[in-house]
Amino acid sequence: MRWGELVELVMRDLQARGPNLLGGGPKRYSELQRAIEGISQRMLTLTLRSLERDGLVERTVTPTSPPRVDYALTPVGQTLSAQVAGLIAWAEQHRAYVAAARLCYDAS
């Protein structure tokens, strides 16, 4: 995942909580989708695939009917969790500023 994409996910009304959602242990896809209000199925799937590709998230498929798929942070992903929490805190603190800057930019 590119940093710009991560920042955009966080800034998009703070809907993305990235690795922080997985900090409490493995989660099923549906749990993640419910926790990230307003995210589309496609965006969540692409984000999880990207995090998996980067080695930050591990995907485990349990052969049941229907198959159970869980996502968990890898050890490296766990080290990123604190930094993402800081980014989220920054985004919350500067949310109004960013929204105003976007309005000003779009108006010009």
Side-chain angles (χ1 to χ4, degrees), residues 26-53:
K27 301 276 189 299
R28 295 184 75 170
Y29 183 92
S30 58
E31 290 177 275
L32 292 170
Q33 193 167 31
R34 281 192 303 273
I36 306 172
E37 185 178 309
I39 193 167
S40 70
Q41 183 174 350
R42 176 173 161 67
M43 178 56 83
L44 180 57
T45 298
L46 291 174
T47 301
L48 288 169
R49 284 183 186 163
S50 181
L51 291 170
E52 183 180 10
R53 180 176 181 243

Side-chain angles (χ1 to χ4, degrees), residues 22 25-32 48 52 57-64 66-74:
L22 295 170
K27 301 276 189 299
R28 295 184 75 170
Y29 183 92
S30 58
E31 290 177 275
L32 292 170
L48 288 169
E52 183 180 10
V57 169
E58 180 177 66
R59 179 178 184 262
T60 304
V61 179
T62 304
T64 59
R68 178 186 172 116
V69 180
D70 291 295
Y71 295 89
L73 289 176
T74 63

Side-chain angles (χ1 to χ4, degrees), residues 54-93:
D54 291 343
L56 302 175
V57 169
E58 180 177 66
R59 179 178 184 262
T60 304
V61 179
T62 304
T64 59
S65 183
R68 178 186 172 116
V69 180
D70 291 295
Y71 295 89
L73 289 176
T74 63
V76 172
Q78 291 172 2
T79 67
L80 181 61
S81 187
Q83 284 71 23
V84 170
L87 182 60
I88 290 170
W90 178 91
E92 289 172 343
Q93 183 179 358

